[in-house]
Amino acid sequence: MLHLINKDRCSRCHDERQVRYCLRTNKNLGWSCCNEQRIDRKCPSECNYCVPAIDANSIPFPAFKADSNTEFRHLVQLYVDQWIHHKNPLFDLETPAQRAASDPSFMLKWLSSYRFPLFFPLPYLAHKLHLEIQFTEPQSLSPEEVAAAYLDRVIAMEWNQLRQFTINDLDLNGVADRYATLLSELKPLLKLNRYDVISSGVSEDQNTAFVYFELNHKTPWTLILSPRNGKWMIRQNINGSPQEFYAQNKLFTELTSFLSNGDEASAWHVLERCRELFPDSADCYYYGGLHSQLIKQNDRAKVDFFNAITLDNHWASPYAHLAMLNLGSSNFQEAMYWFQKQSLLEPDDPKIVNNIAACYAGMKDMDSARRIWEQLLIDHPDFEMAQLNLDKLKNGI
Ligand SMILES: [Zn+2]
């Protein structure tokens, strides 16, 4: 029987995505197959993924190289399955399983005295040794755990449960519903029924983490996370590998240059590419808003800026644009709402306060407008705009 050979699959199982070249078999393998093979410690030592030899008299577990916590856990579990049944000098040449059965309190003491590496699956080891141990829940989840919890909600189509995992935590009119809507419109997520971790990592400055997945056995997808108040939160979905994340600034710079030169067609071309790769990027919607303004479609620009706010609650620029567009179309109430929210992100900016006063003036609430401008002059004596507006008010312009 003939089978189509899928070139990106593991040469051993033909199922998982291939991720590394195996020096032992001269084939491209996925990480599960690599783990199942290297666990026998017969891999050539030149391979970075070779499980190294250890001095069994002093060290129970070797240092394992893995590209994600998921892979690390899988490898350690395979190792533990063998380790518990091998005679070990640390336990007077009994096997760990024998010692745990004959003297569980000794084994418990040994387990609690050993410094296990981060993400070591200690509950798995305890379970295999038939030891009853109460483990406290970790205080914060790893990027992979947060990303998995997020994708589990996607599979369950609980779109309104996603935002709680993201950096977007401000209480703003309509953004919670809009976030759910925008994410539910992303086709690869809409069809999601399984995900597999390919790799994960944290930047050196600890400010960015990525988790690289394969969705539905075929689509590469990356979640970008940032720490907020000691927890990892989802910042962005990338339709592709982590490399795309690092390429986005270049594309946005190109986009800015086309937009500032008024080259609408070229800007649109880059924008379409960006939207494909960075489907929930606040920047994409923000630049989309600028593009809509360029082609004089202000209503569409308002939607774009609102979407940008939805996808990054803490970025002030889209607030300013949305508010100005509303001010320009005499939607003073709406404009004031967004200026006020902007001023929470950029406190003490006299221009924003000036705009809030302008909204009051637009709504014919001259007393409030005057009060704000007078206070502005006290707080920022050099801010001429406040004096100009007060003069205008006095002269009834
Ligand atoms: Zn495989």
Side-chain angles (χ1 to χ4, degrees):
M1 190 162 162
L2 291 173
H3 289 283
L4 281 175
I5 295 173
N6 194 338
K7 283 193 183 132
D8 67 3
R9 297 297 103 184
C10 168
S11 301
R12 187 165 174 260
C13 67
H14 307 290
D15 183 41
E16 61 178 329
R17 175 176 283 256
Q18 55 178 239
V19 292
R20 63 189 64 136
Y21 183 72
C22 172
L23 295 178
R24 179 164 158 184
T25 58
N26 293 323
K27 285 177 176 169
N28 287 310
L29 299 183
W31 60 254
S32 300
C33 284
C34 170
N35 285 351
E36 281 162 19
Q37 191 172 264
R38 62 178 159 146
I39 205 67
D40 68 4
R41 301 196 189 183
K42 289 180 182 160
C43 286
S45 58
E46 308 84 71
C47 178
N48 291 334
Y49 292 89
C50 160
V51 176
I54 50 164
D55 176 4
N57 287 300
S58 55
I59 304 170
F61 303 103
F64 300 103
K65 178 174 167 59
D67 290 348
S68 67
N69 300 337
T70 310
E71 179 185 352
F72 175 76
R73 213 168 33 241
H74 177 253
L75 181 60
V76 174
Q77 288 181 358
L78 291 174
Y79 193 86
V80 161
D81 289 347
Q82 299 181 358
W83 181 80
I84 58 169
H85 297 301
H86 277 140
K87 288 182 179 166
N88 195 313
L90 289 171
F91 308 111
D92 306 322
L93 289 180
E94 275 189 312
T95 71
Q98 285 166 339
R99 177 55 67 91
S102 65
D103 193 351
S105 57
F106 171 88
M107 200 44 128
L108 276 175
K109 211 171 143 198
W110 182 84
L111 285 178
S112 51
S113 67
Y114 182 69
R115 271 181 71 94
F116 287 92
L118 200 61
F119 304 117
F120 190 97
L122 203 47
Y124 181 81
L125 174 58
H127 171 73
K128 295 300 276 189
L129 292 172
H130 305 294
L131 295 172
E132 298 254 339
I133 303 178
Q134 282 288 337
F135 290 97
T136 46
E137 287 288 314
Q139 287 194 322
S140 60
L141 299 176
S142 70
E144 275 173 59
E145 288 167 320
V146 175
Y150 182 83
L151 291 182
D152 285 340
R153 299 304 196 286
V154 170
I155 290 176
M157 293 191 152
E158 294 170 349
W159 306 107
N160 56 5
Q161 297 293 313
L162 294 179
R163 187 173 179 258
Q164 61 181 312
F165 295 99
T166 73
I167 56 168
N168 297 302
D169 56 356
L170 297 185
D171 185 16
L172 300 165
N173 286 348
V175 296
D177 286 344
R178 180 58 61 90
Y179 185 86
T181 304
L182 288 173
L183 271 289
S184 72
E185 287 169 352
L186 303 185
K187 280 207 184 84
L189 295 188
L190 195 58
K191 293 182 196 159
L192 184 66
N193 54 45
R194 70 171 275 178
Y195 57 85
D196 297 285
V197 174
I198 299 174
S199 61
S200 70
V202 177
S203 65
E204 243 171 68
D205 62 8
Q206 302 285 313
N207 272 330
T208 304
F210 75 86
V211 187
Y212 181 22
F213 290 101
E214 182 175 70
L215 305 186
N216 290 354
H217 230 56
K218 63 170 192 282
T219 309
W221 195 266
T222 302
L223 288 177
I224 304 294
L225 299 95
S226 292
R228 290 285 186 276
N229 304 320
K231 289 181 176 172
W232 286 104
M233 309 300 279
I234 307 282
R235 191 161 97 214
Q236 197 183 345
N237 284 264
I238 307 272
N239 186 1
S241 75
Q243 277 76 25
E244 308 295 355
F245 173 67
Y246 297 101
Q248 72 180 346
N249 280 349
K250 190 170 163 276
L251 282 170
F252 291 148
T253 308
E254 242 176 75
L255 200 45
T256 313
S257 140
F258 287 135
L259 286 168
S260 56
N261 292 330
D263 185 349
E264 178 271 311
S266 303
W268 181 251
H269 183 70
V270 181
L271 202 51
E272 283 205 307
R273 172 93 184 115
C274 289
R275 280 181 171 147
E276 173 83 22
L277 288 171
F278 319 118
D280 69 343
S281 153
D283 296 73
C284 277
Y285 281 101
Y286 174 74
Y287 291 117
L290 296 183
H291 178 269
S292 298
Q293 279 188 290
L294 190 62
I295 57 171
K296 312 251 180 297
Q297 296 209 6
N298 284 353
D299 283 342
R300 203 164 88 188
K302 283 182 192 170
V303 176
D304 284 329
F305 291 129
F306 178 61
N307 288 342
I309 293 169
T310 296
L311 296 168
D312 187 352
N313 294 178
H314 294 270
W315 183 26
S317 299
Y319 289 73
H321 282 271
L322 181 56
M324 287 307 279
L325 278 172
N326 277 295
L327 186 61
S329 51
S330 303
N331 294 327
F332 300 114
Q333 197 89 45
E334 183 83 6
M336 186 151 70
Y337 177 81
W338 294 111
F339 280 133
Q340 282 171 336
K341 295 298 179 186
Q342 184 197 356
S343 77
L344 296 176
L345 298 175
E346 298 180 317
D348 294 329
D349 183 335
K351 291 195 288 300
I352 305 172
V353 182
N354 177 63
N355 287 333
I356 292 171
C359 292
Y360 277 114
M363 289 188 287
K364 308 290 177 221
D365 182 351
M366 300 309 177
D367 285 345
S368 299
R370 182 182 300 109
R371 245 194 334 269
I372 293 173
W373 277 320
E374 284 170 352
Q375 186 62 45
L376 246 187
L377 269 186
I378 296 168
D379 297 340
H380 300 272
D382 298 336
F383 188 68
E384 290 172 9
M385 193 79 84
Q387 188 59 58
L388 279 173
N389 281 323
L390 276 174
D391 292 345
K392 274 195 208 166
L393 207 62
K394 210 164 128 192
N395 299 327
I397 303 171

